[in-house]
Structure formats: structure tokens, C-alpha cells
Amino acid sequence: MLYTVRLGQGAIILPRDVQRIHLEFAFKFNNGHFGARKVWRNILPRLKYHNPAVSITINRSIDQADPAILTIFYASPKDPDTAASSTLSSSAMQSKLTSNHTSFERTETINMKHKHELDVLSELMDLTKARPVAATPKAATELQQLANEERRSAADRARNAAYTEQRRQEKALLDQARGAVGPA
């Protein structure tokens, strides 16, 4: 289902003046890079799904002492490049965004080191004035049905595991009894 991408953490709509987001963190998650890694794995796919025109770049370093930083690049709202990009096709928009990484009005950074992914997300939403994507009534109903099915599946798994364990114990007892008597 697309619900895992369309809804949840990171399902936000960024304002039009946010032109680019850059993440910088280490390959390994120790030394405070765990939250940054969770942002990259869990939040960025939803963020990109709802904001396809925003260019997202990632730089991962080997040195654990390096900072874990999320940088937001803002374009001028009156910038003709950003106004024109809303009318371009997606392929033309992608080539335009990759070539237009130099004209930014301002940048803001979030230090992600030793922060939880939800703290980084709330700070991103506060800085950019982003608005969360709400679930439609139909989607909410389907999500509730999926949650109910998952609860039933968990109960079925537990019941099957108990049955399998009981069968294994009975077989072990029978094998033990047959071994004690020996072949006739």
C-alpha cells in the first residue's frame, strides 16, 4: 500500500520558497548520528513524495566526528526560476533543479546530532512553516482496517506458535518413550 509513503512522519507540504534540502551525516549511527539516519530512512521518502520539486541531496561521511546537519535552502519567492518551475514537466523540472543550486536567498541549518528523528521533523516544520498532510476519511478507515487485520494476524501467529510448540513437546515425549522401551 502507498499509505506508508503518503501518510505518517514526514508527510508534510513544504512552502514554495524551499528549493533544496541537504543532509550530511556519517555512515554509522553511533556518536549521535542515529537520528539523522532515521530521518534519511523514514522521513525523507515521505517528504520527497509530497514535495517532488524540492531537490534533496545527501552527503554521508566516514568520520563519526563529523556533524549531522540538515540544511534548508530557500529561494526568493519572487525568483522567476521558481515560478517557472511550477509549469514545467517533471523531467524538465528535474534538470532545472539540478542545475539551479546556486541562487539561494538564505539557508537555515538544523543540527541533528544526538536528536530524535521526530525532534528534527518538528524543527524542520517550525523553520519552514510546513503543513502536515491529513488522512482522508477513506484512508483513515482503511488504515484502521489494516491495524485490525494486523492484530488478528498477531493473535493467529501466537496461537500457531503455541500449537507447534505443543506438537514438538508431544513428539519429544513419544520419541523419549520409544527410546526407553527400545525396539521389540
Side-chain angles (χ1 to χ4, degrees), residues 77-96:
K78 299 172 190 133
D79 190 3
D81 292 339
T82 56
S85 67
S86 63
T87 60
L88 296 174
S89 68
S90 62
S91 61
M93 185 183 309
Q94 184 64 26
S95 65
K96 186 128 182 103

Side-chain angles (χ1 to χ4, degrees), residues 19-20 75 79 81-82 94-104:
Q19 190 172 22
R20 179 177 170 217
D79 190 3
D81 292 339
T82 56
Q94 184 64 26
S95 65
K96 186 128 182 103
L97 286 173
T98 55
S99 65
N100 191 19
H101 280 225
T102 55
S103 61
F104 299 112

Side-chain angles (χ1 to χ4, degrees), residues 59-77:
N59 183 21
R60 297 183 69 186
S61 66
I62 296 173
D63 189 10
Q64 291 298 119
D66 284 351
I69 295 176
L70 183 140
T71 308
I72 307 156
F73 296 87
Y74 295 90
S76 172

Side-chain angles (χ1 to χ4, degrees), residues 18-22 48 51-57 94 97-98 101:
V18 175
Q19 190 172 22
R20 179 177 170 217
I21 293 177
H22 177 73
K48 186 63 178 176
N51 303 285
V54 175
S55 176
I56 298 177
T57 56
Q94 184 64 26
L97 286 173
T98 55
H101 280 225

Side-chain angles (χ1 to χ4, degrees), residues 4-121:
T4 57
V5 176
R6 289 180 22 205
L7 303 170
Q9 300 169 356
I12 59 175
I13 306 289
L14 294 170
R16 289 182 175 232
D17 61 339
V18 175
Q19 190 172 22
R20 179 177 170 217
I21 293 177
H22 177 73
L23 256 71
E24 194 168 326
F25 62 101
F27 276 103
K28 296 188 178 181
F29 60 84
N30 47 354
N31 282 353
H33 290 267
F34 189 70
R37 185 179 176 137
K38 288 289 194 173
V39 166
W40 169 61
R41 293 298 252 165
N42 299 334
I43 293 176
L44 278 187
R46 291 181 192 104
L47 188 67
K48 186 63 178 176
Y49 178 83
H50 290 287
N51 303 285
V54 175
S55 176
I56 298 177
T57 56
I58 298 152
N59 183 21
R60 297 183 69 186
S61 66
I62 296 173
D63 189 10
Q64 291 298 119
D66 284 351
I69 295 176
L70 183 140
T71 308
I72 307 156
F73 296 87
Y74 295 90
S76 172
K78 299 172 190 133
D79 190 3
D81 292 339
T82 56
S85 67
S86 63
T87 60
L88 296 174
S89 68
S90 62
S91 61
M93 185 183 309
Q94 184 64 26
S95 65
K96 186 128 182 103
L97 286 173
T98 55
S99 65
N100 191 19
H101 280 225
T102 55
S103 61
F104 299 112
E105 181 180 274
R106 64 185 168 99
T107 62
E108 293 188 24
T109 60
I110 298 172
N111 183 2
M112 297 185 293
K113 204 159 192 176
H114 300 288
K115 286 189 179 175
H116 191 269
E117 65 197 86
L118 295 179
D119 296 335
V120 174
L121 178 62

